[in-house]
Amino acid sequence: MNTFKLALTTSITLLLSACGSTPKAKIEYPSQQTNQQAVSTNPSEMQVAKSAFAFNDADIQVPAYFDTQGLKYCTFERNNEDERCPLKKPTIRVYFDKNTVQAEKAEQQALAAVNNQQIELMLENMVAGLNRFRIITQDDKTIQQEIEKQLANNAAATAQKLSTNRAINPDYILKVDTLKTADRFYGEYNGVAQYFLEMTASVLDPFTQEKLASPNIGKIRVESKEVRSHDELVFTEVSGRYYTGFNYQDQQNVQAVMSDMASRGLSVMVTRLLSELPASGEVMGIKGNQISIDRGQNAGILPKETMIVFVYEAGFVDPIGVAEVNPSKTSANGRIVQWKNSKLAQKIQQQSNDGIFRPNSNQKIYVVSVGAPQEYVDNRL
Amino acid sequence: MSTKAWIQGMIVAVVSLPLLTANAANVQPSMLLIEQGVELNLNNCEYGRGSRVTESLKQSLTDSFIQYLANQARMDLADLLANSSTSTRVDSTAAIDFTQIASALKNHQQQLDFAEPYWQGNETCIQAKLILSPSAQQTAPSLNIDWQTSPTTVWQFSQAQVDMLQVDKNQQAFDAAMQQALQNSVSNNIQLVAEQGAGKFALLTKHANKIKLADVQNLFNDWQVLGQQQTQQNFTVQVLVSLNRQKLEQQLNTLVKKIATSSIYVSAEPFALKRQLLTLLTEHNITIANSVTAADMQVTAKSSMLEQANGYQNLIELEVTNLNKQIIWQWQNDPSLITVSNKQSHQVNQLIQAHMSLPQHQQTIIQQLEYLLIEQALIAK
């Protein structure tokens, strides 16, 4: 019986191996479209646009999220803008999260007492300058101070002004959520305090309580070693109690470190916002290398903005060059620093050399920014 | 630089200045001979964006056309015709009356043909066109009929509609509609009498449609039903009425006298509020009573500070009672208009002054008090 079984198994194995050796058969591996990667704990860095002069031909591609719909619906009146107008910006109020703290008792108190009001106002200022949103301030104190002064000066005129210019109620909230972590370890002679700050931002609709998908800022990570050198955070303990060096129990000390970290985080956030919500515009004409754009500061174009110039035809985009753009109030002018090496680009370049090239309604030319301009990052952040 | 050269430079500057200004003012249409007659074209740009700029641009284009048609057009046409070969054109185009078209543009009887505005840099531009053909010259004669504005007939037309759902079961729809039609006629006549009676009945003009005189039927000499229609929802009646103007004027006279002798007692806390109310009422010729017993109506007002999350707001409440101590009207302001940081008495006084000085508040209060005075006078009768 056993001998029979063995013979049968052998014959089946042989048979199977004979089938497997047919030339058409192939081994199919499961498809692999993703990679495994460890979660990064590195501090976040700013995303800065390359200068238009540093672009290679291959770099000239259309970035994500361009929104170049026409301006024809716009009324250009700040308080009465058409819903379809790209210059109608969402009205938002900025909130910086109250203190969510993870730390041991001794430093918890100091960290939890950190005042976020100034950070909130700072964020308002930074975001307002980008011209992507209309910011409604939380600075009640300053506003009341001014209103009180005006009331004392002329109560009737002040009331009249206030009744015709009521404070705007925001459509959305820009909320920055933070997680603050404090840590300290002690060596043989002294210890080091360490702080970590993680920030995320969301835009939410206070009426439907929905968090919106755009702009997607992601997570920003800041460490205390980025704002303070190692030596500044060193302290000495005697009998397990703070003796000298960086006082992790002192609110002022902690506030100073945290404010610097938050400020750094906000800079990173602003550069990400500029990539998430790029400035775009329509090209009205090209003359030589010069381009004339239909919107400027009012659409959030920043000085020395690196913008990709592309042709938009039948739903397809064809980049034709990269330009350095400078805005004026309602329009912008730019210079195509490098034309893309393509037939279309050459054709347009040829025509613009002979006079003013004006795009037509079937073949429009748009520009879209690639991110925070280097100059803005150097001089404003 | 020698003195001679300097003087020469000055002369050039002085001479070229008027030339420049002349050029600037010289924005005028270009004339073209076409099949139908003459075509005028002008393109102009103005700094800015939006409807206000477009409107002002259209106006300035129209002005340029008017200027050109009145002064330069005839000469330009002569030049064009001199160089043109066909003689038929000369006869037909010579019939065009430029001055008449200029005045038609001025009086808005004729409009320029404006193309869609377009943008050039920071400027908005519009192209305007005007085609003049000899046949289009025969403009319709203006209707110069002087319509009689004041009714001279004794008979007047009146109409009323009643909602079938609101008609009482016991009361027939016809009766209700008739009553309403007569009342409408009286209201119209009160309006007329008041308007013609100049200052005497000024108070009544504003409230003519609300004055419900008792014993309306007595005011009519006669009436005649012209027609009546009934649908499921409502009942309509048209009547021709003959009203006794003298009787009406008598009734109104007694009413006005009664109102003139009525007075209001004001009690308000704090004194700043009382002062504001007294000033307001006396400004509008409403008599103030010294005591409650001498008054026909009493106004009670109070102000309080509401504590909000971000400061304090001022609430002003006003209540009007009649002789029977019944509340006949209540009003309050919108405290959220102004928020201040403190509730010190000087701040409270400023807020009261600010709220009470708003024209819309003053108007509401005065109109309602006047109306209540009329109503009280009517009841008293």
Side-chain angles (χ1 to χ4, degrees), chain B residues 204-219:
Chain B
L204 300 183
T205 355
K206 281 185 271 179
H207 308 283
N209 58 342
K210 286 186 271 179
I211 298 173
K212 296 243 183 303
L213 293 175
D215 213 6
V216 176
Q217 270 90 339
N218 273 344
L219 291 173

Side-chain angles (χ1 to χ4, degrees), chain A residues 71-72 75-77 140 144 147-148 151-152 155-156 159-160 162-163 166 284 292 294 328-331 358, chain B residues 47 49-51 119-122 310-311 334 336-342 347 350-351 353-354 357-360:
Chain A
L71 284 193
K72 63 179 176 183
T75 61
F76 296 96
E77 286 162 26
D140 293 334
Q144 278 171 13
I147 293 293
E148 282 161 22
L151 277 174
Q160 183 62 31
L162 284 170
S163 75
R166 296 299 293 258
M284 307 310 291
S292 166
D294 67 346
S328 70
K329 203 173 168 194
T330 53
S331 73
R358 291 184 200 280
Chain B
Y47 185 88
R49 297 260 199 276
S51 57
W119 296 308
Q120 261 179 12
N122 280 333
N310 57 347
D334 171 12
S336 67
L337 183 67
I338 311 171
T339 310
V340 292
S341 62
N342 64 79
Q347 195 70 71
Q350 278 171 7
L351 282 184
Q353 197 195 339
S357 67
L358 280 176
Q360 59 267 41

Side-chain angles (χ1 to χ4, degrees), chain A residues 221-239:
Chain A
R221 209 171 293 108
V222 188
E223 291 177 16
S224 53
K225 67 180 182 194
E226 291 175 84
V227 297
R228 290 285 186 282
S229 69
H230 177 269
D231 293 353
E232 285 177 274
L233 295 171
V234 168
F235 60 91
T236 311
E237 283 180 349
V238 172
S239 318

